[in-house]
Structure formats: C-alpha cells, structure tokens
Amino acid sequence: MAVSIELTKEYGYVVLVLVAYVFLNLWMGFQVGKARRKYKVFYPTMYAIESENKDAKLFNCVQRGHQNSLEWMPVFFVILLLGGLQHPTIAAGLGGIYIVARFFYFKGYATGVPDNRLKIGGLNYLALLGVERARSR
C-alpha cells in the first residue's frame, strides 16, 4: 500500500528552517571548539572537572548549551517536518522563532551563568509547543 503526500510550495520554508538549524548547530560546535582551546579542555574529555580546571564551569556551560540543542534537534525536526505538512507557513514561522530563541539560549548559557539561558532563550520551548499544536490540528 503506497501513500502519496503532496507538498505545497510553502513547504520549502520548512526545509529552509531545518537547514538554518543545522547551520546554527554547526556554529555552536565551533564555539565549543574555541572554548576547548581557551579553557584547555582537550578531547576526548566531554566535560571539565572543577577540581582539575578552574574554568570548568565556563567550559561546561558552553558545552551544555550545544549539547542541549543536539538533544532537542530530533524532536524539533520531527515536529517541524510533520507540522509543516498541514501548516507549512505557521510551522516555518514558529521554527524560525525557535532557532532565534535557541541562539539566545546558547549565548546565555555560554556566559557561565546557566540561568541566563532562559532570559530570551526560554522562548524556544514556547515556539516548539506552538509547532506541535499546529501539527496536531
């Protein structure tokens, strides 16, 4: 039994948002690499240990900002792609807000004060919820 899905031209916006998120995550990965050099946390160490590195918290915050985005990426992609089938412009718009909020989430986390990630970055969860609501309609 074959299933046929017809995509509207607006679905292209959904794909653009997905690609933009990939580039955001690549940029975050480069930021982690820079932090590794700056704080002297070398591979394969995932997280710095405070008893061994005075800058452990600063590095770990940069690392966690990126790691958290990677953890949520599959959820975002599935919700975005499925929500975009029915409501592509809404899904793409909310996906764009999600990406901007994720940028600020990372930047806030990278300050070394974990609570800073939620000042503007916390909006990423609302945008994700909005995309999910569009998908389930």
Side-chain angles (χ1 to χ4, degrees):
M1 180 172 129
V3 176
S4 176
I5 298 174
E6 188 173 324
L7 300 177
T8 64
K9 65 178 180 177
E10 289 82 11
Y11 197 78
Y13 298 128
V14 172
V15 174
L16 284 175
V17 168
L18 186 138
V19 170
Y21 192 71
V22 169
F23 281 107
L24 175 64
N25 264 290
L26 286 171
W27 175 80
M28 287 184 213
F30 286 119
Q31 300 312 301
V32 173
K34 286 168 49 176
R36 282 188 176 283
R37 289 186 295 281
K38 181 177 181 179
Y39 301 122
K40 297 177 177 51
V41 179
F42 304 106
Y43 289 107
T45 304
M46 184 78 153
Y47 293 102
I49 300 169
E50 290 190 23
S51 63
E52 298 173 5
N53 186 323
K54 66 181 177 61
D55 296 317
K57 184 175 181 182
L58 291 169
F59 171 77
N60 290 343
C61 284
V62 173
Q63 171 70 357
R64 273 304 304 151
H66 182 234
Q67 186 68 36
N68 185 265
S69 290
L70 290 172
E71 291 162 1
W72 280 95
M73 187 165 49
V75 174
F76 174 60
F77 282 3
V78 168
I79 290 172
L80 177 70
L81 293 171
L82 292 178
L85 291 174
Q86 206 164 12
H87 303 285
T89 53
I90 293 171
L94 289 168
I97 292 169
Y98 179 82
I99 291 171
V100 170
R102 266 286 154 189
F103 170 80
F104 285 107
Y105 184 96
F106 177 82
K107 291 296 282 183
Y109 220 150
T111 64
V113 181
D115 286 344
N116 287 349
R117 73 192 192 280
L118 299 175
K119 287 184 179 174
I120 297 173
L123 293 175
N124 77 82
Y125 297 113
L126 291 175
L128 191 63
L129 182 63
V131 175
E132 168 56 21
R133 293 291 299 149
R135 184 196 67 78
S136 63
R137 285 189 172 180

